[in-house]
Amino acid sequence: MEAIKNRYEFVMIFDVENGNPNGDPDAGNMPRTDPETSLGLVTDVCLKRKIRNFVELVKEGEPCYNILIKADKALNTKFAENYVEHDLPTKAKGKDADVVTKARSFMCENYFDVRTFGAVMSTGDAPCGIVRGPVQINFARSIDPVFPQDFTITRQARTTVERMESGETEMGKKSVVPYGLYRAEGYVSAMLAQKVTGFSEEDLELLWTAIINMFEHDRSAARGKMCMRKLYVFKHDSALGNAPAQTLFEKIAIKKKDEVSVPRSYFDYEISADRQMPDGVTLIEKL
């Protein structure tokens, strides 16, 4: 597959209703917020996880679409298996730059998330190098402040006999955001795709499909109702790009409607796109 030839930027707009879009382990798994502004946050790691999960779901078993970052085997075990599968000389592990480069190429070819997001694969006795991926995503941030709420819930089933001795039920807590509209921005580098990972047009289309559907197969009681609402893509005519990313991101504006005091719905906002693009850039509305 031939690597992409055009640079891209993109804007994702999604919302959550009565759910926790991304819990913070340092705060009792409460929804993440910026402590200075109370704006909600969703990390890039969380968003990439959902993309990986979708790709694995729809491409399971297909060559070249394996997922490296997942909870199955230790990463060093996968790196060692790569050496064995491609008959790389083990005596040169970590010492021969050509061997590491070959190992890195095989990892890029076989793993979608390595081709896309990159990976640090220099650990262990079978190093496969370090890959800076062509696709990068910023933290998502809510448009307005969110105020997570703790709801007390009743747990009917206890886990141990000892805990049953104090009663058949116990109290628990569930933390949710009543409503939040979030925006995340991302980048696709054709230069890194061509020079390093081989991220292709087929991979790119799969990425857009995964972003649009990332919440459709990730439902849980904790996350509530999450929906991808908009996906705007800026396509450059060249690999290096024809306009600064920030100029393009500013073309997408989100504003709470004047008559709305406390937003509780996607329809409480107005989203507008300035379609006057710089020369060499095309705006594509994927969703």
Side-chain angles (χ1 to χ4, degrees), residues 140-172:
R141 188 180 296 272
S142 68
I143 305 305
D144 286 299
V146 297
F147 299 98
Q149 299 180 12
D150 262 344
F151 291 95
T152 301
I153 57 175
T154 303
R155 185 180 185 185
Q156 292 291 333
R158 290 195 148 185
T159 53
T160 66
V161 174
E162 291 76 13
R163 295 177 75 171
M164 284 287 290
E165 292 175 356
S166 62
E168 294 182 352
T169 62
E170 62 184 352
M171 298 295 106

Side-chain angles (χ1 to χ4, degrees), residues 9 14 29 44 91 93 134 136 166 188 212 221 244-245 257 270:
E9 277 83 40
F14 61 91
N29 212 42
D44 60 317
K91 64 181 180 180
K93 289 178 182 177
Q136 300 300 329
S166 62
V188 183
I212 291 170
K257 292 180 179 178
E270 294 178 344

Side-chain angles (χ1 to χ4, degrees), residues 25-72:
D26 291 327
N29 212 42
M30 290 279 287
R32 295 182 189 271
T33 58
D34 181 332
E36 294 183 331
T37 64
S38 293
L39 295 178
L41 299 174
V42 176
T43 66
D44 60 317
V45 174
C46 176
L47 297 172
K48 289 176 182 178
R49 176 77 272 149
K50 298 181 192 308
I51 292 172
R52 286 185 172 101
N53 289 347
F54 179 84
V55 171
E56 184 175 30
L57 184 68
V58 300
K59 291 290 188 178
E60 187 174 10
E62 291 190 29
C64 304
Y65 289 98
N66 296 313
I67 297 297
L68 177 68
I69 306 300
K70 63 178 182 177
D72 56 348

Side-chain angles (χ1 to χ4, degrees), residues 49-284:
R49 176 77 272 149
K50 298 181 192 308
I51 292 172
R52 286 185 172 101
N53 289 347
F54 179 84
V55 171
E56 184 175 30
L57 184 68
V58 300
K59 291 290 188 178
E60 187 174 10
E62 291 190 29
C64 304
Y65 289 98
N66 296 313
I67 297 297
L68 177 68
I69 306 300
K70 63 178 182 177
D72 56 348
K73 299 178 183 178
L75 292 179
N76 286 351
T77 300
K78 297 180 182 180
F79 303 153
E81 289 174 349
N82 182 42
Y83 269 68
V84 172
E85 180 181 353
H86 295 98
D87 197 27
L88 296 175
T90 55
K91 64 181 180 180
K93 289 178 182 177
K95 299 178 181 179
D96 191 324
D98 290 337
V99 170
V100 174
T101 299
K102 289 180 181 178
R104 184 186 70 185
S105 297
F106 289 135
M107 293 298 289
C108 289
E109 179 182 344
N110 291 323
Y111 289 93
F112 173 83
D113 56 339
V114 177
R115 281 198 307 279
T116 305
F117 303 125
V120 175
M121 302 178 291
S122 56
T123 59
D125 295 326
C128 300
I130 298 174
V131 174
R132 187 153 60 101
V135 179
Q136 300 300 329
I137 301 174
N138 295 333
F139 276 32
R141 188 180 296 272
S142 68
I143 305 305
D144 286 299
V146 297
F147 299 98
Q149 299 180 12
D150 262 344
F151 291 95
T152 301
I153 57 175
T154 303
R155 185 180 185 185
Q156 292 291 333
R158 290 195 148 185
T159 53
T160 66
V161 174
E162 291 76 13
R163 295 177 75 171
M164 284 287 290
E165 292 175 356
S166 62
E168 294 182 352
T169 62
E170 62 184 352
M171 298 295 106
K173 288 190 177 295
K174 185 173 184 177
S175 300
V176 303
V177 170
Y179 183 79
L181 184 66
Y182 291 74
R183 169 179 174 150
E185 297 160 349
Y187 317 83
V188 183
S189 168
M191 300 305 296
L192 286 175
Q194 293 171 11
K195 293 181 178 296
V196 183
T197 75
F199 183 78
S200 68
E201 293 291 343
E202 291 82 357
D203 293 330
L204 183 67
E205 288 306 313
L206 180 57
L207 173 68
W208 302 143
T209 302
I211 290 173
I212 291 170
N213 293 282
M214 64 163 63
F215 301 123
E216 299 303 316
H217 303 279
D218 190 60
R219 304 296 183 190
S220 76
R223 281 186 277 279
K225 180 183 176 183
M226 296 190 69
C227 303
M228 184 61 63
R229 296 292 187 171
K230 290 288 184 181
L231 174 58
Y232 294 100
V233 176
F234 301 96
K235 180 180 180 179
H236 298 254
D237 286 349
S238 66
L240 287 174
N242 300 80
Q246 68 272 15
T247 300
L248 303 179
F249 291 147
E250 289 166 0
K251 297 288 186 178
I252 308 300
I254 308 173
K255 180 184 177 183
K256 183 175 64 178
K257 292 180 179 178
D258 294 337
E259 66 273 18
V260 174
S261 56
V262 180
R264 284 294 182 266
S265 166
Y266 172 70
F267 302 101
D268 290 337
Y269 288 91
E270 294 178 344
I271 301 176
S272 60
D274 179 359
R275 300 185 180 276
Q276 295 296 318
M277 293 291 112
D279 291 341
V281 178
T282 303
L283 173 61
I284 306 168

